Amino acid sequence: MKKSAIAIIILFCSCAGRVSENRIVMKLSDSNRSITISGFNKAIINDIARDTDTNVWQGLLPVYKMPVDTDDKDFLTAQPGKYVVKDSLVVFTPDTAFKKGQVYFLRFFDYGDTKTAWQLLQAMEKPGTIRHTDLRFSY
């Protein structure tokens, strides 16, 4: 009985779906005046681009200036700017130029990361929470 319970637990753990790594890549472009964000599905990103404006893009891919106290990262206002979709790339150009030596970060929310109940337990996350990744950059 004990051996069969262990075998079931091992089988359950090995069959749990794998969390896919996001391959979002960000780099400075246009002589460091813009950032180019890539790694999206072309069809999906073009579909989003058809009926969204800058306010929506700021919610999906906000860019922030890194505060001195990094504990304040979650209370910042996003950098205002213009988002343009070119092919499968998203290009963000801020209203005010990036400052040399200043650290910024792009917050990417992982909306497509479907979770099973087992994955939630493994990660100790609450249902309904959305994971995010902060991609740092500086000019």
Side-chain angles (χ1 to χ4, degrees):
M1 177 81 171
K2 201 179 228 183
K3 288 183 182 180
S4 63
I6 292 172
I8 290 172
I9 291 172
I10 291 171
L11 180 65
F12 181 70
C13 293
S14 64
C15 292
R18 303 268 186 238
V19 176
S20 62
E21 284 272 328
N22 289 309
R23 303 285 181 219
I24 301 302
V25 177
M26 179 205 48
K27 64 179 183 174
L28 287 164
S29 61
D30 192 25
S31 299
N32 298 326
R33 288 188 290 254
S34 301
I35 57 170
T36 302
I37 309 155
S38 61
F40 303 107
N41 179 310
K42 183 179 179 178
I44 293 172
I45 208 71
N46 286 324
D47 193 35
I48 293 171
R50 261 195 302 267
D51 58 356
T52 55
D53 60 7
T54 298
N55 294 331
V56 173
W57 281 111
Q58 263 187 332
L60 294 172
L61 296 169
V63 175
Y64 300 98
K65 187 187 311 186
M66 184 67 76
V68 176
D69 183 3
T70 56
D71 290 337
D72 294 337
K73 282 176 35 174
D74 294 330
F75 305 106
L76 299 173
T77 303
Q79 291 284 121
K82 180 178 163 189
Y83 291 83
V84 176
V85 175
K86 294 180 181 177
D87 199 27
S88 62
L89 305 173
V90 177
V91 179
F92 171 73
T93 306
D95 287 349
T96 56
F98 294 123
K99 292 181 184 174
K100 192 169 190 163
Q102 173 67 50
V103 177
Y104 297 88
F105 66 96
L106 167 80
R107 181 159 284 177
F108 169 70
F109 293 95
D110 191 5
Y111 294 105
D113 187 20
T114 56
K115 300 230 182 215
T116 64
W118 180 246
Q119 289 169 337
L120 287 171
L121 288 173
Q122 283 178 319
M124 302 294 281
E125 294 178 10
K126 296 178 184 174
T129 59
I130 299 174
R131 246 184 20 199
H132 66 270
T133 303
D134 291 338
L135 303 173
R136 296 171 59 133
F137 66 97
S138 63
Y139 161 54

